[in-house]
């Protein structure tokens, strides 16, 4: 008889998709770094404002980040501000939760005295 032959050829075209994936990973890493820089700058502003309570000449580094520049009027200006901090009950996130609670505690030390604009 006659012999039947089937041929199946699989190719892995991962070069483009892997490169695209690596590019996306790099973008996420850069984005994460910028977010962390902004949060560190916000922490520095909160710390400076909390320290400033009784002092007149304390430098508040609002210009270190776009985030702090945008929030300048809210957190240190003529405004009444509320801040909500979110924490995780999981022990896996214990260090992050502790850091968040410390941040919230420092933020609660800021005392603004808003006045009605005329």
């Amino acid at each position: 008889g006659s012999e039947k032959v089937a041929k199946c050829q699989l190719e892995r075209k991962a070069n483009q998709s892997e490169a695209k994936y690596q590019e996306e990973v790099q973008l996420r890493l850069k984005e994460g770094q910028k977010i962390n820089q902004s949060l560190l700058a916000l922490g520095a502003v909160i710390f400076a404002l909390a320290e400033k309570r009784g002092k007149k000449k304390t430098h508040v580094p609002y210009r270190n980040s776009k985030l702090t520049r945008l929030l300048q009027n809210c957190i240190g200006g003529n405004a009444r501000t509320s801040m909500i901090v979110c924490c995780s009950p999981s022990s896996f996130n214990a260090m992050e939760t502790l850091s968040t609670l410390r941040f919230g505690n420092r933020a609660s030390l800021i005392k603004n005295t808003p006045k009605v604009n005329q």
Side-chain angles (χ1 to χ4, degrees):
S2 67
E3 188 175 317
K4 294 182 181 179
V5 177
K7 189 174 184 180
C8 179
Q9 183 174 345
L10 300 174
E11 288 185 39
R12 183 171 178 242
K13 295 194 175 196
N15 290 341
Q16 284 184 340
S17 62
E18 279 182 17
K20 188 174 183 178
Y21 173 76
Q22 290 297 328
E23 187 176 308
E24 288 176 11
V25 167
Q26 291 297 322
L27 286 174
R28 298 294 168 257
L29 284 172
K30 286 181 184 178
E31 188 177 288
Q33 287 173 340
K34 290 189 184 271
I35 290 169
N36 284 340
Q37 285 174 345
S38 291
L39 291 176
L40 283 171
L42 180 60
V45 166
I46 296 292
F47 183 79
L49 288 170
E51 290 292 310
K52 184 180 179 177
R53 287 192 308 171
K55 305 171 188 170
K56 290 279 185 189
K57 296 278 184 177
T58 300
H59 173 69
V60 181
Y62 290 114
R63 294 184 180 193
N64 290 356
S65 157
K66 288 181 184 179
L67 175 66
T68 54
R69 192 76 168 134
L70 286 170
L71 294 176
Q72 181 174 357
N73 290 331
C74 297
I75 56 178
N78 188 24
R80 183 168 289 179
T81 304
S82 297
M83 185 175 292
I84 299 171
V85 295
C86 299
C87 300
S88 170
S90 171
S91 61
F92 178 76
N93 297 323
M95 294 303 291
E96 187 174 336
T97 296
L98 184 60
S99 174
T100 301
L101 290 172
R102 285 183 181 143
F103 175 81
N105 185 45
R106 267 193 313 253
S108 71
L109 297 175
I110 298 171
K111 302 297 179 208
N112 284 353
T113 52
K115 296 177 180 75
V116 177
N117 294 332
Q118 296 190 13

